[in-house]
């Protein structure tokens, strides 16, 4: 089971499953290991930032905001440790938010502070654990820091440029994949199992997965899920029932039943709208890992597919009601 868990990623918006399953010490150790192997990490210069009179270290308590959406400041932030959530308000009264990304040790944010102009922040940053950041007033102190630490500044600037370009590429990938799947959805003449399977095959090609498994919630028994489609067998409906276990399923049983190598890398995504869950997609790669960009793309595509699933379930309920009414006559 340990080998399976190592290769499984629950693509959860706030990492709730991971936080429930791991102690704080385990979580910290995981991020320490990530930081050690992280290439071009700004964490190499923690001592420099710590000793510099131009950087200020700030401690942010769990669930507290580093800054709010639409606020102003001219700080460049570098995360020393642990986790922050990037979120945007979805209601005018600020009662609900949508998560856009998760930032961890070694990440930076608000590079717009390097501009001459002061911009309103377009997202809020919330700590998911008690965290620490370094901040520097880019307008006031950055020039002085550069003069005293030119080599550090060179590496810092190079890191920002590379990461910013990767973020732009990631955004373009999201836009392109979303456009492709929306085009396929709009071309659907009828929402039925066959067309949904074709849509899943389309998603598999878009995200470059080796194969995808689609699980649907059981119509009667909430503690069960039904494997409806395995893209390794195109156009063939499956009907394997699995009992729920924890967040998802007993993965050992799933791997055995579906003849899946435990060394494969998998990402599990919910198909849901709000609190209503319709099913799950499992994205599989046999020898390649998934990037953070891949997981964001999966979430975006699953959000689109969830609305199709809602339509499918609604149509089934209507047909069942009509059938029952006809039987009563």
């Amino acid at each position: 089971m340990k080998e399976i868990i190592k290769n499984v990623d629950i693509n959860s918006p706030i990492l709730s499953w991971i936080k429930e399953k791991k102690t704080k010490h385990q979580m910290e150790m995981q991020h320490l290991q990530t930081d050690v192997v992280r290439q071009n990490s700004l964490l190499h210069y923690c001592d420099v930032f710590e000793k510099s009179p131009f950087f200020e270290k700030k401690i942010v308590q769990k669930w507290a905001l580093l800054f709010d959406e639409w606020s102003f400041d001219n700080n460049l932030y570098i995360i020393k440790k642990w986790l922050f959530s990037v979120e945007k308000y979805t209601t005018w009264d600020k009662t609900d938010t949508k998560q856009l990304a998760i930032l961890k040790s070694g990440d930076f944010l608000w590079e717009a502070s390097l501009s001459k102009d002061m911009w309103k922040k377009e997202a809020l940053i919330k700590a998911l654990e008690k965290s620490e950041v370094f901040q520097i007033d880019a307008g006031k102190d950055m020039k002085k820091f550069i003069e005293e630490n030119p080599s550090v500044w060179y590496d810092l600037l190079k890191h920002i440029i590379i990461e910013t370009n990767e973020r732009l590429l990631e955004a373009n990938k999201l836009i392109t994949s979303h456009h492709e799947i929306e085009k396929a959805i709009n071309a659907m003449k009828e929402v039925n199992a066959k067309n949904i399977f074709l849509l899943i095959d389309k998603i598999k090609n878009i995200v470059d997965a080796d194969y995808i498994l689609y699980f649907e919630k059981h119509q009667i028994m909430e503690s069960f899920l039904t494997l409806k489609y395995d893209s390794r067998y195109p156009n063939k409906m499956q009907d394997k029932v699995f009992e729920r276990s924890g967040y998802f399923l007993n993965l050992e049983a799933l791997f055995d039943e579906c003849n899946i190598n435990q060394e494969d890398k998998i990402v599990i995504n919910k198909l849901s709208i709000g609190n209503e869950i319709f099913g799950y997609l499992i994205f599989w790669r046999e020898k390649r890992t998934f990037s953070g960009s891949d997981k964001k793309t999966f979430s975006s595509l699953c959000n689109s597919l969830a609305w199709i699933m809602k339509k499918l379930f609604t149509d089934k309920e209507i047909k069942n009601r009509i059938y029952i009414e006809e039987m009563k006559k």
Side-chain angles (χ1 to χ4, degrees), residues 52-90:
S52 172
F54 308 116
F55 272 91
E56 175 188 352
K57 186 167 76 172
K58 185 174 183 178
I59 296 176
V60 187
Q61 299 298 327
K62 185 176 181 178
W63 305 128
L65 296 184
L66 177 61
F67 56 73
D68 203 353
E69 187 176 353
W70 307 122
S71 63
F72 285 95
D73 73 41
N74 210 31
N75 293 325
L76 173 69
Y77 297 91
I78 298 170
I79 300 173
K80 182 180 181 183
K81 65 176 187 182
W82 303 110
L83 287 171
F84 284 90
S85 174
V86 182
E87 301 179 13
K88 191 169 183 65
Y89 290 115
T90 56

Side-chain angles (χ1 to χ4, degrees), residues 8 10 17 21 213-216 222-225 227 242-251 254-255 266-270 279-282 284:
V8 174
I10 310 295
W17 182 84
K21 296 294 181 183
L213 268 60
Y214 160 55
F215 289 84
E216 194 174 284
E222 292 186 0
S223 59
F224 289 83
L225 291 172
L227 174 62
F242 294 85
E243 187 170 5
R244 297 287 298 269
S245 175
Y247 175 87
F248 184 58
L249 297 176
N250 181 322
L251 292 175
L254 172 64
F255 279 41
I266 73 174
V267 175
I268 302 171
N269 255 100
K270 280 192 300 187
Y280 296 82
L281 283 190
I282 299 184
W284 239 281

Side-chain angles (χ1 to χ4, degrees), residues 162-178:
I162 291 171
E163 289 292 316
T164 300
N165 284 338
E166 287 184 359
R167 291 175 186 178
L168 288 173
L169 289 172
E170 179 181 289
N172 288 335
K173 182 179 178 181
L174 276 171
I175 292 169
T176 302
S177 61
H178 190 73

Side-chain angles (χ1 to χ4, degrees), residues 266-280:
I266 73 174
V267 175
I268 302 171
N269 255 100
K270 280 192 300 187
L271 296 169
S272 62
I273 299 174
N275 294 324
E276 189 176 8
I277 299 174
F278 305 104
Y280 296 82

